[in-house]
Amino acid sequence: MKHRARAVKRRNVIIGIGATAGVAAVGGIALTANASTDKDTSESTADKSLVFDPTAYTKKTTTITDADNVEHSVTYHFWKAITYVAKPVDATYQSLVVSVPVEIDGKKIDASNAPILFANSVGGYLPSSVATATEVGGGGMSGGAMPSGSGAPTGAMPSSSTASNANSNTNATGGATSSNQLLALAAGYVVVEPGARGRTLKNSSGVYYGTAPAAIVDLKAAVRYVKFNKGRIPGNTERIVSAGTSAGGALSSLLGASGDSPIYDKYLKEIGAADASDAIFATGAWCPITDLEHADGAYEWNWGTNVTQSTSKVVDQTVSKALKAQFAEYQASLKLRGLDRFGPLTARNYDDYLVEQYLQPSATTYLAALSDSARETYLKANTFITWKNDKATFSWADYLTHVGARKKTTPAFDAFDLSAGENNEFGAEKTLARHFTAYGAKNDSTGLSSKRIASDIPELLNLMNPMYHLVDKVNEKGRSKHWWIRLGTSDTDTSHVISANLAARVNELGDDVNHLYYWDQGHGANTDPGDFIKWIAKVSGYKSKV
């Protein structure tokens, strides 16, 4: 496998228009309305409003360069933004688009039983919208800056949570190339791209309406919409494969872990979600920013001795050590065992595990793919690596030195001054940001009268953390059984143990896990998109007719 980015080119030309559905203006944006049919008399009024109109598409053609650098002409049917709930809070975000291939390189395609790639473009837990999308891969994040006059504290949008950073180095979902969506379309798959509310949304009364758990509730509602419209939306609704990057990767993981969990029912009912399952078949997650209540400790365990990018100095080691101790306690409580019979994973041996299971294999794959001269040049510049018998070896300490500066200060997620994007994610009503860990609240530096987390925080954490559904409340029936997890070795947006713990747990539960790290890649990297598309075909049992 070669670790290199592959360009994906597009050239969209409208070549025909199908029947037109009704149009409603929401927030100044035209959104297609779903037509109901007479045969749906047994459905509720709310469900009737969610009936997908198979004729309301536009016919388009695009040129897609696949992972092998071969160009394909793809003709597809495109449905503009469709509101996926009966009682939307904001249809600009609670809408999805659908793309269905009908002809590839002049050959007609029947996608009626194809896998469905369910690709969100959430980054930084910010809002994402497809309301103005006119082509596959045309949606993305919006609201990348804090609302004007929101009273956001300085640094309320850390670099790792901004729209520009969250997907600028990715071609997984969202960003400039959106190659997962395009490659899936070129492979004959159906592509569904949902929008979702995010943490910065605020109404005219000053109330935040996109904070936790809005994003996961919306994505679950979108899955329910697709499943409710089985037979109307082309594709196999029992083979939905979620994909997301960064916070979107966390939400994708959460979809996979929490399918049909009753703890979301009241929230789904409030927005008029379709009466259907929200369980998905497979999960794709790139650099998931998740397990937020334990992320500060995991981050310090991983990056505590590295200097920060902003100051070129190490963080407060008293705080760092306290958080490391919290991580050690949490990791022990999980009682996880590593892949490939590694044994129990603890704070004391996790560095050995990461080096053996992920980092050295990643470096080996990267170096093996280079030419002899290029490999020699790289090794001369990185003398900490020993290359022997076509295998790379090095120590954890040398690896940390190689990565260099960490991106975030401490605490990385529940900032004492409430400045982290995740503090905003747990905001409520007219409160911009709140603490979500006892340690963050105890050490608050903003002058809050209470040094305790709010009473609703524990429930919100459960709603937002896949590990809750995989460890505390094991979800057997509705859980995804196939997991594709990726992370760059130079990604300091979160700790490497976050995705490794996720992989270890689903592996223990007997699920199929495909997890690896990209050598020298940063946040959001996706250097093997073609392999992901092939993996979908393999795990879904789909025999492509392309």
Side-chain angles (χ1 to χ4, degrees):
M1 179 179 61
K2 294 185 178 181
H3 288 278
R4 59 186 179 87
R6 297 181 177 95
V8 180
K9 297 185 288 185
R10 297 185 289 197
R11 183 173 67 253
N12 290 333
V13 181
I14 296 177
I15 61 175
I17 300 177
T20 304
V23 175
V26 181
I29 300 173
L31 300 173
T32 59
N34 296 295
S36 61
T37 61
D38 293 338
K39 68 180 180 180
D40 299 310
T41 54
S42 63
E43 296 163 346
S44 68
T45 301
D47 283 346
K48 285 183 179 181
S49 73
L50 297 178
V51 174
F52 178 79
D53 182 356
T55 68
Y57 60 81
T58 301
K59 195 173 184 181
K60 293 178 175 288
T61 292
T62 186
T63 299
I64 299 174
T65 302
D66 68 18
D68 297 318
N69 292 319
V70 177
E71 285 192 352
H72 300 279
S73 175
V74 180
T75 299
Y76 65 101
H77 293 168
F78 179 78
W79 282 260
K80 292 184 178 181
I82 304 165
T83 305
Y84 53 70
V85 289
K87 297 183 287 185
V89 177
D90 191 334
T92 300
Y93 303 97
Q94 294 171 299
S95 300
L96 55 77
V97 297
V98 178
S99 300
V100 179
V102 295
E103 188 175 298
I104 299 176
D105 295 333
K107 180 181 178 180
K108 292 189 180 299
I109 298 298
D110 178 8
S112 59
N113 197 44
I116 299 173
L117 178 65
F118 185 85
N120 80 71
S121 58
V122 175
Y125 292 99
L126 294 166
S128 65
S129 176
V130 296
T132 60
T134 58
E135 60 186 12
V136 62
M141 287 178 293
S142 55
M146 296 300 288
S148 175
S150 65
T154 301
M157 293 283 290
S159 61
S160 62
S161 298
T162 61
S164 63
N165 180 275
N167 282 283
S168 62
N169 190 33
T170 184
N171 54 7
T173 50
T177 54
S178 307
S179 75
N180 278 350
Q181 292 95 303
L182 293 172
L183 292 179
L185 198 70
Y189 305 166
V190 173
V191 178
V192 174
E193 299 171 84
R197 288 170 292 165
R199 61 185 173 82
T200 57
L201 296 176
K202 184 172 67 169
N203 65 22
S204 58
S205 298
V207 174
Y208 289 92
Y209 61 91
T211 54
I216 186 58
V217 171
D218 285 354
L219 293 182
K220 281 178 169 288
V223 172
R224 289 190 175 199
Y225 176 87
V226 173
K227 288 200 168 186
F228 173 75
N229 282 289
K230 177 181 180 179
R232 291 182 283 252
I233 293 179
N236 186 345
T237 58
E238 298 306 311
R239 292 295 184 268
I240 296 175
V241 181
S242 176
T245 302
S246 191
L251 292 168
S252 183
S253 301
L254 188 51
L255 279 176
S258 68
D260 293 333
S261 171
I263 69 173
Y264 301 91
D265 286 351
K266 67 179 181 181
Y267 300 97
L268 290 162
K269 184 177 180 180
E270 286 176 357
I271 59 176
D275 184 12
S277 168
D278 54 65
I280 61 171
F281 177 74
T283 299
W286 286 258
C287 54
I289 303 292
T290 190
D291 201 357
L292 296 177
E293 61 265 45
H294 306 109
D296 287 328
Y299 195 89
E300 292 312 309
W301 176 89
N302 203 144
W303 309 113
T305 58
N306 289 49
V307 301
T308 62
Q309 293 177 2
S310 59
T311 67
S312 297
K313 298 179 181 179
V314 295
V315 297
D316 185 328
Q317 289 300 293
T318 299
V319 173
S320 184
K321 289 177 181 178
L323 289 170
K324 287 178 184 178
Q326 291 179 23
F327 165 74
E329 183 177 354
Y330 170 62
Q331 190 63 42
S333 73
L334 291 175
K335 299 180 180 179
L336 294 179
R337 303 183 72 85
L339 276 64
D340 298 332
R341 301 179 181 179
F342 180 85
L345 292 174
T346 69
R348 290 189 175 185
N349 67 10
Y350 220 128
D351 52 350
D352 292 335
Y353 177 65
L354 290 174
V355 169
E356 294 174 17
Q357 181 68 30
Y358 296 111
L359 300 176
Q360 289 181 164
S362 177
T364 297
T365 299
Y366 172 79
L367 288 167
L370 297 178
S371 66
D372 290 344
S373 60
R375 186 185 311 113
E376 182 180 355
T377 299
Y378 186 88
L379 290 171
K380 283 183 178 179
N382 296 277
T383 56
F384 73 97
I385 298 176
T386 297
W387 180 253
K388 184 178 181 180
N389 298 327
D390 297 327
K391 181 180 180 181
T393 57
F394 47 84
S395 71
W396 172 253
D398 284 339
Y399 160 72
L400 291 179
T401 300
H402 173 67
V403 172
R406 55 188 268 174
K407 180 170 289 184
K408 301 180 179 181
T409 185
T410 195
F413 297 91
D414 189 1
F416 295 155
D417 63 357
L418 294 172
S419 63
E422 289 75 16
N423 292 122
N424 180 209
E425 171 64 4
F426 289 98
E429 295 296 327
K430 295 185 178 182
T431 301
L432 170 68
R434 297 190 297 170
H435 291 294
F436 54 91
T437 68
Y439 187 77
K442 180 181 178 180
N443 292 281
D444 173 76
S445 64
T446 68
L448 293 177
S449 57
S450 174
K451 295 291 185 178
R452 296 182 179 182
I453 60 172
S455 60
D456 64 322
I457 290 293
E459 178 187 358
L460 293 177
L461 291 170
N462 292 341
L463 289 163
M464 297 302 295
N465 191 350
M467 295 301 282
Y468 169 77
H469 303 274
L470 299 172
V471 178
D472 295 344
K473 300 290 183 180
V474 178
N475 179 6
E476 289 292 353
K477 185 177 179 180
R479 187 180 75 250
S480 164
K481 301 304 190 296
H482 303 277
W483 299 78
W484 177 278
I485 307 171
R486 294 293 188 267
L487 183 71
T489 64
S490 295
D491 186 348
T492 64
D493 280 57
T494 190
S495 170
H496 288 345
V497 306
I498 297 298
S499 63
N501 273 348
L502 177 63
R505 182 53 180 158
V506 293
N507 178 71
E508 282 186 340
L509 293 173
D511 297 349
D512 163 48
V513 183
N514 190 314
H515 184 206
L516 60 78
Y517 290 17
Y518 303 128
W519 185 252
D520 277 353
Q521 294 295 310
H523 191 60
N526 177 23
T527 66
D528 57 349
D531 291 341
F532 175 61
I533 301 304
K534 293 175 183 177
W535 178 80
I536 292 175
K538 178 183 177 181
V539 299
S540 67
Y542 180 64
K543 304 298 183 183
S544 175
K545 299 177 181 178
V546 179

Short mmCIF file of all heavy atoms in Angstrom, two decimals, residues 252-288:
data_model
loop_
_atom_site.label_atom_id
_atom_site.label_comp_id
_atom_site.label_asym_id
_atom_site.label_seq_id
_atom_site.Cartn_x
_atom_site.Cartn_y
_atom_site.Cartn_z
N SER A 252 -19.33 9.21 13.38
CA SER A 252 -19.45 7.97 12.62
C SER A 252 -19.27 6.77 13.54
O SER A 252 -20.02 5.79 13.47
CB SER A 252 -18.41 7.94 11.50
OG SER A 252 -18.56 6.79 10.69
N SER A 253 -18.28 6.85 14.43
CA SER A 253 -18.06 5.78 15.42
C SER A 253 -19.27 5.63 16.33
O SER A 253 -19.66 4.51 16.68
CB SER A 253 -16.82 6.08 16.26
OG SER A 253 -15.67 6.21 15.46
N LEU A 254 -19.84 6.75 16.71
CA LEU A 254 -20.99 6.74 17.61
C LEU A 254 -22.21 6.12 16.92
O LEU A 254 -22.98 5.37 17.53
CB LEU A 254 -21.29 8.16 18.07
CG LEU A 254 -22.34 8.37 19.16
CD1 LEU A 254 -22.07 7.48 20.37
CD2 LEU A 254 -22.37 9.83 19.58
N LEU A 255 -22.39 6.42 15.63
CA LEU A 255 -23.46 5.77 14.87
C LEU A 255 -23.28 4.26 14.91
O LEU A 255 -24.24 3.50 15.12
CB LEU A 255 -23.45 6.24 13.42
CG LEU A 255 -24.10 7.58 13.08
CD1 LEU A 255 -23.89 7.89 11.60
CD2 LEU A 255 -25.59 7.57 13.41
N GLY A 256 -22.03 3.81 14.69
CA GLY A 256 -21.77 2.39 14.66
C GLY A 256 -21.95 1.72 16.01
O GLY A 256 -22.38 0.57 16.09
N ALA A 257 -21.65 2.43 17.08
CA ALA A 257 -21.71 1.85 18.42
C ALA A 257 -23.10 1.87 19.02
O ALA A 257 -23.43 1.02 19.86
CB ALA A 257 -20.75 2.59 19.35
N SER A 258 -23.95 2.82 18.62
CA SER A 258 -25.19 3.09 19.36
C SER A 258 -26.46 2.80 18.58
O SER A 258 -27.52 3.29 18.95
CB SER A 258 -25.20 4.55 19.81
OG SER A 258 -25.32 5.42 18.68
N GLY A 259 -26.38 2.02 17.51
CA GLY A 259 -27.56 1.80 16.69
C GLY A 259 -28.77 1.35 17.49
O GLY A 259 -28.71 0.39 18.26
N ASP A 260 -29.88 2.07 17.30
CA ASP A 260 -31.17 1.77 17.92
C ASP A 260 -31.16 1.85 19.45
O ASP A 260 -32.05 1.31 20.12
CB ASP A 260 -31.68 0.39 17.49
CG ASP A 260 -32.03 0.33 16.02
OD1 ASP A 260 -32.37 1.38 15.45
OD2 ASP A 260 -31.94 -0.77 15.43
N SER A 261 -30.18 2.52 20.03
CA SER A 261 -30.18 2.70 21.48
C SER A 261 -31.37 3.56 21.91
O SER A 261 -31.60 4.63 21.33
CB SER A 261 -28.88 3.37 21.94
OG SER A 261 -28.96 3.72 23.31
N PRO A 262 -32.10 3.14 22.91
CA PRO A 262 -33.29 3.89 23.33
C PRO A 262 -32.99 5.23 23.99
O PRO A 262 -33.90 6.04 24.16
CB PRO A 262 -33.98 2.94 24.32
CG PRO A 262 -32.87 2.08 24.84
CD PRO A 262 -31.94 1.89 23.68
N ILE A 263 -31.73 5.49 24.36
CA ILE A 263 -31.44 6.74 25.06
C ILE A 263 -31.59 7.96 24.15
O ILE A 263 -31.61 9.09 24.63
CB ILE A 263 -30.05 6.73 25.71
CG1 ILE A 263 -28.93 6.76 24.68
CG2 ILE A 263 -29.90 5.56 26.65
CD1 ILE A 263 -27.54 6.92 25.29
N TYR A 264 -31.71 7.73 22.84
CA TYR A 264 -31.89 8.84 21.91
C TYR A 264 -33.35 9.05 21.52
O TYR A 264 -33.67 10.00 20.81
CB TYR A 264 -31.07 8.59 20.63
CG TYR A 264 -29.60 8.44 20.86
CD1 TYR A 264 -29.04 7.19 21.09
CD2 TYR A 264 -28.75 9.55 20.88
CE1 TYR A 264 -27.68 7.04 21.32
CE2 TYR A 264 -27.39 9.41 21.11
CZ TYR A 264 -26.86 8.15 21.33
OH TYR A 264 -25.52 8.01 21.56
N ASP A 265 -34.23 8.17 21.95
CA ASP A 265 -35.61 8.17 21.45
C ASP A 265 -36.32 9.50 21.65
O ASP A 265 -36.99 10.00 20.75
CB ASP A 265 -36.41 7.05 22.12
CG ASP A 265 -36.03 5.67 21.58
OD1 ASP A 265 -35.28 5.61 20.59
OD2 ASP A 265 -36.48 4.66 22.17
N LYS A 266 -36.18 10.08 22.84
CA LYS A 266 -36.93 11.32 23.10
C LYS A 266 -36.44 12.46 22.21
O LYS A 266 -37.24 13.31 21.79
CB LYS A 266 -36.84 11.70 24.58
CG LYS A 266 -35.45 12.11 25.06
CD LYS A 266 -35.48 12.50 26.54
CE LYS A 266 -34.11 12.92 27.04
NZ LYS A 266 -34.13 13.29 28.49
N TYR A 267 -35.16 12.47 21.92
CA TYR A 267 -34.60 13.52 21.07
C TYR A 267 -35.05 13.33 19.62
O TYR A 267 -35.36 14.30 18.92
CB TYR A 267 -33.08 13.52 21.15
CG TYR A 267 -32.54 13.75 22.52
CD1 TYR A 267 -32.15 12.68 23.33
CD2 TYR A 267 -32.41 15.03 23.04
CE1 TYR A 267 -31.64 12.89 24.60
CE2 TYR A 267 -31.90 15.25 24.32
CZ TYR A 267 -31.52 14.17 25.10
OH TYR A 267 -31.03 14.38 26.36
N LEU A 268 -35.09 12.09 19.18
CA LEU A 268 -35.53 11.80 17.81
C LEU A 268 -37.02 12.09 17.64
O LEU A 268 -37.45 12.58 16.60
CB LEU A 268 -35.23 10.33 17.48
CG LEU A 268 -33.74 10.02 17.32
CD1 LEU A 268 -33.48 8.52 17.43
CD2 LEU A 268 -33.23 10.55 15.98
N LYS A 269 -37.78 11.80 18.68
CA LYS A 269 -39.21 12.09 18.63
C LYS A 269 -39.47 13.59 18.53
O LYS A 269 -40.37 14.02 17.80
CB LYS A 269 -39.91 11.51 19.86
CG LYS A 269 -41.42 11.69 19.85
CD LYS A 269 -42.06 11.03 21.07
CE LYS A 269 -43.58 11.20 21.05
NZ LYS A 269 -44.21 10.56 22.25
N GLU A 270 -38.68 14.37 19.25
CA GLU A 270 -38.86 15.83 19.25
C GLU A 270 -38.73 16.44 17.86
O GLU A 270 -39.40 17.41 17.55
CB GLU A 270 -37.83 16.48 20.18
CG GLU A 270 -38.12 16.30 21.66
CD GLU A 270 -37.02 16.88 22.53
OE1 GLU A 270 -36.00 17.36 21.96
OE2 GLU A 270 -37.15 16.85 23.76
N ILE A 271 -37.86 15.88 17.03
CA ILE A 271 -37.64 16.46 15.70
C ILE A 271 -38.41 15.72 14.61
O ILE A 271 -38.28 16.03 13.42
CB ILE A 271 -36.14 16.50 15.34
CG1 ILE A 271 -35.53 15.11 15.36
CG2 ILE A 271 -35.41 17.45 16.28
CD1 ILE A 271 -34.07 15.08 14.91
N GLY A 272 -39.23 14.74 15.01
CA GLY A 272 -40.05 14.04 14.03
C GLY A 272 -39.25 13.11 13.14
O GLY A 272 -39.46 13.07 11.92
N ALA A 273 -38.36 12.33 13.73
CA ALA A 273 -37.58 11.36 12.96
C ALA A 273 -38.50 10.25 12.47
O ALA A 273 -39.52 9.93 13.10
CB ALA A 273 -36.45 10.79 13.80
N ALA A 274 -38.15 9.65 11.36
CA ALA A 274 -38.95 8.56 10.80
C ALA A 274 -38.97 7.36 11.74
O ALA A 274 -38.04 7.13 12.51
CB ALA A 274 -38.39 8.16 9.44
N ASP A 275 -40.04 6.60 11.66
CA ASP A 275 -40.19 5.40 12.47
C ASP A 275 -39.45 4.25 11.78
O ASP A 275 -40.02 3.48 11.01
CB ASP A 275 -41.67 5.06 12.63
CG ASP A 275 -41.90 3.87 13.55
OD1 ASP A 275 -40.93 3.47 14.23
OD2 ASP A 275 -43.03 3.34 13.58
N ALA A 276 -38.15 4.17 12.05
CA ALA A 276 -37.31 3.16 11.42
C ALA A 276 -36.06 2.97 12.27
O ALA A 276 -35.81 3.71 13.23
CB ALA A 276 -36.93 3.59 10.00
N SER A 277 -35.26 1.98 11.91
CA SER A 277 -34.01 1.72 12.63
C SER A 277 -32.96 2.76 12.27
O SER A 277 -32.96 3.30 11.16
CB SER A 277 -33.50 0.33 12.25
OG SER A 277 -32.17 0.13 12.70
N ASP A 278 -32.04 3.04 13.21
CA ASP A 278 -30.90 3.90 12.90
C ASP A 278 -29.59 3.12 13.01
O ASP A 278 -28.50 3.70 13.09
CB ASP A 278 -30.87 5.15 13.79
CG ASP A 278 -30.91 4.85 15.27
OD1 ASP A 278 -29.96 4.23 15.77
OD2 ASP A 278 -31.89 5.23 15.93
N ALA A 279 -29.67 1.79 13.00
CA ALA A 279 -28.47 0.96 13.03
C ALA A 279 -27.82 0.96 11.64
O ALA A 279 -28.51 0.94 10.62
CB ALA A 279 -28.82 -0.46 13.44
N ILE A 280 -26.49 0.99 11.61
CA ILE A 280 -25.76 0.96 10.35
C ILE A 280 -24.97 -0.34 10.24
O ILE A 280 -24.70 -1.00 11.24
CB ILE A 280 -24.83 2.17 10.18
CG1 ILE A 280 -23.77 2.20 11.30
CG2 ILE A 280 -25.61 3.46 10.13
CD1 ILE A 280 -22.69 3.24 11.10
N PHE A 281 -24.56 -0.68 9.03
CA PHE A 281 -23.87 -1.94 8.78
C PHE A 281 -22.38 -1.87 9.08
O PHE A 281 -21.81 -2.79 9.67
CB PHE A 281 -24.09 -2.35 7.33
CG PHE A 281 -23.36 -3.61 6.93
CD1 PHE A 281 -23.83 -4.84 7.36
CD2 PHE A 281 -22.22 -3.55 6.14
CE1 PHE A 281 -23.16 -6.01 7.01
CE2 PHE A 281 -21.55 -4.72 5.79
CZ PHE A 281 -22.02 -5.95 6.21
N ALA A 282 -21.73 -0.79 8.67
CA ALA A 282 -20.28 -0.67 8.84
C ALA A 282 -19.91 0.78 9.13
O ALA A 282 -20.63 1.71 8.78
CB ALA A 282 -19.56 -1.16 7.59
N THR A 283 -18.75 0.94 9.77
CA THR A 283 -18.30 2.26 10.23
C THR A 283 -16.93 2.60 9.67
O THR A 283 -15.99 1.80 9.78
CB THR A 283 -18.20 2.27 11.77
OG1 THR A 283 -19.49 2.01 12.33
CG2 THR A 283 -17.69 3.61 12.27
N GLY A 284 -16.82 3.78 9.08
CA GLY A 284 -15.53 4.32 8.67
C GLY A 284 -15.24 5.56 9.50
O GLY A 284 -16.05 6.49 9.53
N ALA A 285 -14.10 5.58 10.19
CA ALA A 285 -13.77 6.72 11.06
C ALA A 285 -12.31 7.10 10.87
O ALA A 285 -11.41 6.29 11.10
CB ALA A 285 -14.03 6.36 12.53
N TRP A 286 -12.09 8.35 10.48
CA TRP A 286 -10.75 8.89 10.33
C TRP A 286 -10.48 9.84 11.50
O TRP A 286 -11.27 10.74 11.76
CB TRP A 286 -10.61 9.62 9.00
CG TRP A 286 -10.53 8.69 7.82
CD1 TRP A 286 -9.41 8.34 7.13
CD2 TRP A 286 -11.61 8.00 7.19
NE1 TRP A 286 -9.72 7.46 6.11
CE2 TRP A 286 -11.07 7.23 6.13
CE3 TRP A 286 -12.99 7.93 7.42
CZ2 TRP A 286 -11.85 6.42 5.31
CZ3 TRP A 286 -13.77 7.12 6.61
CH2 TRP A 286 -13.20 6.37 5.57
N CYS A 287 -9.39 9.63 12.19
CA CYS A 287 -8.96 10.44 13.34
C CYS A 287 -10.13 10.89 14.22
O CYS A 287 -10.35 12.08 14.41
CB CYS A 287 -8.13 11.63 12.88
SG CYS A 287 -8.90 12.70 11.64
N PRO A 288 -10.88 9.95 14.77
CA PRO A 288 -12.06 10.32 15.56
C PRO A 288 -11.73 11.09 16.83
O PRO A 288 -10.92 10.64 17.65
CB PRO A 288 -12.70 8.97 15.89
CG PRO A 288 -11.57 7.98 15.81
CD PRO A 288 -10.67 8.49 14.73
#
